[in-house]
Amino acid sequence: MISSVSVPRASAVGIGVCKTFMLLHLQHEEKRNLTLGGHVGFDSLPDQLVSKSVTQGFCFNILCVGETGIGKSTLMNTLFNTTFENEEASHYQDGVYLRPRTYDLQESNVHLKLTIVDTVGFGDQINKEESYKPIVDYIDTQFENYLQEELKIKRSLYNYHDTRIHICLYFIAPTGHSLKSLDLVTMKKLDSKVNVIPIIAKADTISKSELHKFKIKIMSELVSNGVQIYQFPTDDDTVAEINSSMNALLPFAVVGSIEEVKVGNKMVRARQYPWGVVQVENESHCDFVKLREMLLRVNMEDLREQTHARHYELYRRCKLEEMGFKDTDPDSQPFSLQETYEAKRKEFLGDLQRKEEEMRQMFVNKVKETEAELKEKERELHEKFEQLKRMHQEEKRKVEEKRRDLEEEMNAFNRKKVATETLQAQSLQGLQQSLRKDKDRKNRSVKTENQSGAALSSSKVMIARASVEPLNCDSWWQAMQCCTCLIQSAVWKKGSL
Ligand SMILES: Nc1nc2c(ncn2[C@@H]2O[C@H](COP(=O)(O)OP(=O)(O)OP(=O)(O)O)[C@@H](O)[C@H]2O)c(=O)[nH]1
Ligand SMILES: [Mg+2]
């Protein structure tokens, strides 16, 4: 078999032309068709690709967004004909969170690393305004992880576990009414980040005519709200026909079940009700087969490609632009990475310098403020100290005055004491003399009882005078002058004298 190939005409450029020059020319030269003289072998390239891909394995990531208990897990089990981990969510979650689970599946010799991400608590909160956020954040995080891997100097994308979401199945409740605002808002937020396929869950709970109207209503609401759902590609001739017919049937109405029910003489997956059996794989009962066909058998690779070429590309572009990278400068000239880096570095250093200056200024102002505050406090303390000093001096002066007064008083007292003692000594002398005279008189004459009592009284006075302490007066001198004291003194009262 003779194959035709395109080779650049520039390959005929004469000997002696340097390699670089040749390469430059190669880019601009026309290509011409040549025929091969025999079998060369590069027609095995697609087979090589298939073999390499099969060895490497594939990965596919599904995000199931839908209210709690709407049938997400059951549908995944039905879709992959197995039983994945299933943990029922409660209706009392504070917010929405995502639960990713990865499985290794094998069909024939093809390995599939499947990640199923479930929303937990979606639609259970009273305020649902922020319900879409965790989902958007999750999708962005997977893009960011991939971008970081791509930007590494030593990339290992070959082994990299790509967790970017390839398809988002949005579960719509089979109300037969219209879409809820939560559905519209969430799908709108997701449509630029992921391939969204809306599906009507638990389609066995809605009648055929209602379902038909419901589908039309959903599609018109999506269009009027500008929600762009994933369209099965029609540019590949081999699948164009089936894909365009399936696009017209969106959103698919699905039924999920892993129960096997006997229908005729065959066991089929179905849901059995008292009035009959809903067969999951019966196309007149629901669109499950169509969904499986479109999702896994016809368009799986397109979903992966769209994720990389459209959604991730958009994320990457925005992110790089955010980081200051551009393809062209303002004069529409190609912008080199080096220049961008230099410009960004300069901008960053300028920013840093400005911030440093601002911080320094702030620091200086703060120091000045603190210094002023400290000075004020010092002044106040000084004033207080002066005041205390004045008070202390005043106090000292008063104490000094008091001391002087007391000293004077003590001197006066001492003087009085000396005078009293002198007087006391004199009166004692007098008393002794009179006692002696009394004694003489006693001896000489007999006296009446009254007279001797008087003598006793006078001796009482004398002896009381000798005992200073019991008297209420401060000194003998005072006691002498104050008869009350003398009379009230215990010595007198006791009558022991
Ligand atoms: N009628 C009907 N019931 C279904 C269908 N699919 C699932 N169910 C039932 O709905 C209930 C919840 O199904 P799940 O698959 O656990 O729902 P889920 O969305 O994964 O629930 P959470 O993970 O807890 O949010 C189960 O009782 C299923 O049997 C369906 O297509 N039709
Ligand atoms: Mg579940």
Side-chain angles (χ1 to χ4, degrees):
M1 194 186 95
I2 312 260
S3 314
S4 78
V5 289
S6 304
V7 289
R9 201 183 302 208
S11 60
V13 173
I15 305 157
V17 180
C18 77
K19 211 175 172 184
T20 324
F21 182 75
M22 246 176 77
L23 278 170
L24 275 170
H25 272 257
L26 272 169
Q27 289 172 357
H28 305 292
E29 290 293 326
E30 269 178 35
K31 288 170 194 154
R32 59 194 176 122
N33 290 334
L34 289 182
T35 47
L36 301 174
H39 180 242
V40 177
F42 60 76
D43 60 350
S44 70
L45 201 54
D47 301 334
Q48 291 173 36
L49 211 62
V50 169
S51 150
K52 195 178 166 194
S53 300
V54 167
T55 319
Q56 196 181 337
F58 298 86
C59 82
F60 193 64
N61 307 319
I62 304 178
L63 167 65
C64 295
V65 180
E67 293 164 13
T68 305
I70 203 165
K72 302 182 289 290
S73 306
T74 310
L75 188 75
M76 286 302 106
N77 290 343
T78 320
L79 210 52
F80 289 92
N81 205 3
T82 186
T83 311
F84 297 114
E85 276 171 78
N86 185 16
E87 208 179 291
E88 258 182 42
S90 90
H91 285 283
Y92 307 106
Q93 297 289 335
D94 289 342
V96 178
Y97 74 91
L98 281 91
R99 186 172 50 196
R101 292 216 167 111
T102 302
Y103 307 91
D104 265 321
L105 305 179
Q106 188 180 354
E107 191 170 36
S108 313
N109 61 341
V110 178
H111 289 269
L112 181 70
K113 195 181 258 187
L114 176 72
T115 300
I116 298 172
V117 187
D118 254 332
T119 52
V120 181
F122 187 75
D124 284 336
Q125 293 73 38
I126 293 170
N127 182 357
K128 300 180 181 72
E129 256 176 50
E130 309 266 276
S131 295
Y132 71 88
K133 268 197 175 157
I135 307 170
V136 169
D137 288 349
Y138 182 87
I139 295 169
D140 280 346
T141 307
Q142 310 321 307
F143 283 150
E144 184 61 32
N145 292 347
Y146 192 85
L147 181 64
Q148 288 305 321
E149 188 61 36
E150 262 194 348
L151 293 175
K152 274 184 190 168
I153 304 232
K154 253 178 131 182
R155 300 185 293 181
S156 56
L157 288 170
Y158 181 79
N159 304 320
Y160 180 75
H161 178 202
D162 185 2
T163 52
R164 294 172 298 173
I165 299 295
H166 299 117
I167 176 73
C168 163
L169 289 176
Y170 194 94
F171 289 67
I172 299 167
T175 58
H177 267 257
S178 53
L179 284 173
K180 297 175 187 171
S181 48
L182 173 67
D183 299 331
L184 279 170
V185 169
T186 310
M187 277 194 265
K188 182 85 198 119
K189 293 282 177 191
L190 295 180
D191 69 355
S192 59
K193 295 184 174 288
V194 67
N195 302 310
V196 179
I197 296 184
I199 51 175
I200 299 168
K202 299 189 180 181
D204 53 327
T205 60
I206 186 167
S207 77
K208 200 172 174 180
S209 58
E210 277 175 344
L211 181 65
H212 182 66
K213 281 186 211 151
F214 193 36
K215 277 191 178 190
I216 295 171
K217 188 108 192 243
I218 290 171
M219 287 314 284
S220 81
E221 278 185 337
L222 289 176
V223 172
S224 60
N225 284 284
V227 179
Q228 289 194 328
I229 60 168
Y230 173 75
Q231 294 289 306
F232 303 116
T234 49
D235 45 4
D236 181 352
D237 290 343
T238 51
V239 291
E241 199 183 325
I242 184 165
N243 275 356
S244 56
S245 66
M246 290 298 155
N247 278 333
L249 291 174
L250 287 172
F252 293 139
V254 295
V255 174
S257 175
I258 44 167
E259 262 178 61
E260 298 251 309
V261 178
K262 194 164 186 183
V263 174
N265 51 4
K266 260 174 64 185
M267 291 299 282
V268 292
R269 278 185 300 166
R271 298 188 76 83
Q272 189 156 30
Y273 294 105
W275 58 89
V277 174
V278 180
Q279 295 170 36
V280 169
E281 295 188 41
N282 186 331
E283 287 198 55
S284 61
H285 289 190
C286 73
D287 299 331
F288 172 79
V289 171
K290 295 184 183 80
L291 175 71
R292 186 179 62 194
E293 196 75 9
M294 288 293 96
L295 206 65
L296 307 181
R297 299 185 183 177
V298 181
N299 297 306
M300 202 173 186
E301 183 49 27
D302 185 70
L303 287 163
R304 284 157 39 91
E305 211 178 284
Q306 288 285 320
T307 302
H308 185 74
R310 195 169 137 221
H311 301 300
Y312 171 66
E313 205 55 33
L314 182 67
Y315 177 84
R316 180 182 165 277
R317 200 180 71 207
C318 294
K319 205 74 195 176
L320 292 183
E321 275 173 2
E322 229 174 70
M323 287 158 79
F325 294 106
K326 289 178 209 130
D327 287 335
T328 53
D329 64 12
D331 309 323
S332 303
Q333 293 300 310
F335 217 68
S336 83
L337 202 69
Q338 177 72 20
E339 279 173 29
T340 313
Y341 170 74
E342 285 298 336
K344 206 72 203 161
R345 191 165 177 270
K346 241 185 219 166
E347 194 185 311
F348 174 73
L349 286 176
D351 258 14
L352 205 72
Q353 226 167 355
R354 208 182 52 251
K355 270 192 187 135
E356 207 178 299
E357 192 50 47
E358 271 173 23
M359 278 176 77
R360 193 179 302 129
Q361 200 53 46
M362 234 162 71
F363 179 72
V364 168
N365 289 346
K366 199 95 196 149
V367 167
K368 274 184 187 163
E369 264 173 39
T370 318
E371 215 174 68
E373 270 172 28
L374 282 173
K375 267 189 184 155
E376 178 62 23
K377 275 213 172 100
E378 194 184 340
R379 196 187 55 74
E380 278 173 15
L381 277 173
H382 199 74
E383 254 176 34
K384 218 171 191 170
F385 172 73
E386 286 298 321
Q387 198 184 347
L388 281 172
K389 205 169 141 188
R390 277 197 299 277
M391 274 165 67
H392 173 73
Q393 276 171 352
E394 181 66 17
E395 205 72 10
K396 203 173 156 189
R397 192 186 56 74
K398 278 182 186 166
V399 169
E400 198 59 37
E401 257 173 33
K402 225 172 197 163
R403 193 178 65 81
R404 264 201 308 275
D405 288 352
L406 277 171
E407 261 175 19
E408 267 170 30
E409 224 171 87
M410 265 171 70
N411 289 341
F413 172 77
N414 284 337
R415 276 196 303 277
K416 272 181 190 171
K417 191 181 162 193
V418 170
T420 311
E421 276 169 0
T422 320
L423 212 68
Q424 193 184 3
Q426 283 171 356
S427 49
L428 263 174
Q429 230 175 352
L431 271 171
Q432 276 170 353
Q433 279 173 2
S434 71
L435 269 174
R436 240 178 281 138
K437 278 178 191 169
D438 278 354
K439 212 175 176 181
D440 292 344
R441 238 180 284 148
K442 230 180 196 174
N443 293 337
R444 274 194 307 268
S445 61
V446 182
K447 288 186 179 178
T448 61
E449 212 176 302
N450 282 350
Q451 276 173 327
S452 59
L456 190 62
S457 298
S458 65
S459 62
K460 246 183 184 182
V461 172
M462 283 187 312
I463 294 163
R465 232 187 272 153
S467 175
V468 179
E469 271 72 36
L471 297 181
N472 292 332
C473 297
D474 293 335
S475 64
W476 256 108
W477 177 248
Q478 280 177 347
M480 287 284 290
Q481 290 173 328
C482 173
C483 330
T484 327
C485 290
L486 194 63
I487 291 159
Q488 282 175 351
S489 80
V491 179
W492 185 274
K493 275 182 188 164
K494 254 193 273 174
S496 56
L497 296 175

